[in-house]
Amino acid sequence: MDAPSNEFLRGTLKTIVLKLLAEQSPSGRARMYGYEITQAVKERTKGEITLSFGALYPVLHKLEQEGLLITESEEVEGRLRKYYSLTPTGTKAAEQKVSDFERFMEAMRALLHPPVSLATGH
């Protein structure tokens, strides 16, 4: 992504991570590891948004410190993999952040594409 988009991304990383973790996986467990999160973002945005590990991991650690995530490590193919999942507080925070962001996007759409005024013709 170019520099202006990175600015927007920084302000939405927590929301992105919380939203992804709030969704149920096919196994019924809503947990993901870092690479899985980066790939989900890349796939869903058709490559428009790519998360670097340098941007992602500080957000994951911050969310963990805030009590919104828990981690569990599991050995996979001889390597230790750290999985992240939401706490009950994290689930509520995810719902709130997504709701707040949707309202923000509506407000931005209204600013960027104001309705045509009948009085002014604009």
Side-chain angles (χ1 to χ4, degrees):
M1 293 194 70
D2 56 10
S5 297
N6 282 333
E7 178 184 341
F8 301 136
L9 184 58
R10 273 193 301 277
T12 58
L13 271 175
K14 279 186 179 183
T15 303
I16 291 167
V17 170
L18 290 170
K19 169 65 174 154
L20 288 172
L21 289 172
E23 297 173 354
Q24 289 297 317
S25 66
S27 67
R29 297 185 73 187
R31 69 180 199 153
M32 299 175 87
Y33 58 97
Y35 178 76
E36 201 172 13
I37 293 170
T38 64
Q39 291 307 294
V41 169
K42 186 176 180 179
E43 287 171 20
R44 288 188 187 193
T45 65
K46 296 177 177 57
E48 286 293 316
I49 298 175
T50 55
L51 292 182
S52 70
F53 294 117
L56 176 62
Y57 284 107
V59 170
L60 289 169
H61 295 303
K62 180 131 178 79
L63 291 169
E64 187 178 12
Q65 288 173 345
E66 293 172 0
L68 303 179
L69 296 184
I70 55 170
T71 61
E72 60 182 304
S73 295
E74 190 175 295
E75 190 173 323
V76 178
E77 297 175 4
R79 296 182 65 189
L80 209 55
R81 182 178 286 168
K82 191 181 240 185
Y83 285 92
Y84 300 88
S85 57
L86 296 178
T87 63
T89 304
T91 300
K92 290 177 188 158
E95 291 169 5
Q96 186 63 53
K97 282 218 168 269
V98 168
S99 175
D100 290 348
F101 189 71
E102 286 173 340
R103 282 196 321 274
F104 175 75
M105 287 191 316
E106 287 173 21
M108 288 302 296
R109 277 190 208 96
L111 283 170
L112 297 173
H113 306 288
V116 175
S117 169
L118 296 176
T120 63
H122 295 232

